[in-house]
């Protein structure tokens, strides 16, 4: 995963609502209407958040009638997790992360 891709994901996840959406989607695909019920935001605001999550490829969308269904892009999420896992915090040459 390129650093620019990681930066876009980090920027997308820097918003508490988008972080909550990703957490909700970790349980599986959700209809936009179900996501909207969990927030005190308007439908255009949800669409804005979903656009940002989709643009960084962390979330994918599937249309069914007038509704959009969202799910995590597992490939992107795994690559992001691998990048984060490759980071280490060392003090005096010894890893201090447990």
């Amino acid at each position: 995963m390129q650093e620019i891709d990681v930066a876009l994901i980090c920027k997308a996840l820097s918003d508490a609502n988008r972080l909550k959406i990703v957490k909700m989607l970790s349980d599986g695909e959700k209809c936009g209407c179900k996501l909207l019920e969990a927030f005190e935001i308007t439908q255009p605001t949800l669409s804005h958040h979903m656009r940002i999550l989709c643009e960084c490829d962390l979330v994918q969308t599937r249309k069914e009638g007038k509704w959009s269904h969202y799910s995590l892009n597992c490939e992107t999420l795994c690559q992001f997790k691998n990048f984060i896992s490759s980071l280490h915090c060392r003090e005096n040459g010894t890893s201090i992360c447990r």
Side-chain angles (χ1 to χ4, degrees):
M1 176 169 267
Q2 300 285 329
E3 284 82 5
I4 188 70
D5 300 320
V6 174
L8 288 172
I9 291 171
C10 288
K11 185 176 179 180
L13 295 177
S14 69
D15 180 89
N17 286 331
R18 291 192 290 268
L19 197 55
K20 183 176 177 181
I21 290 167
V22 168
K23 189 171 181 181
M24 289 175 67
L25 294 177
S26 69
D27 289 337
E29 183 182 79
K30 301 276 186 298
C31 176
C33 60
K34 291 297 178 189
L35 293 172
L36 197 55
E37 290 173 1
F39 297 92
E40 293 182 20
I41 59 176
T42 63
Q43 189 280 325
T45 301
L46 177 66
S47 292
H48 169 76
H49 289 307
M50 299 315 296
R51 181 182 52 80
I52 291 170
L53 290 169
C54 289
E55 284 178 352
C56 72
D57 210 26
L58 191 58
V59 171
Q60 50 199 10
T61 184
R62 176 180 68 80
K63 293 280 191 183
E64 187 175 297
K66 68 177 186 171
W67 294 108
S68 294
H69 297 262
Y70 299 97
S71 59
L72 291 178
N73 182 333
C74 293
E75 183 178 337
T76 300
L77 180 60
C78 288
Q79 290 175 2
F80 180 66
K81 287 171 61 176
N82 288 338
F83 177 84
I84 296 299
S85 294
S86 74
L87 302 176
H88 300 282
C89 186
R90 299 195 183 274
E91 193 172 280
N92 298 325
T94 305
S95 177
I96 60 173
C97 297
R98 307 261 187 259

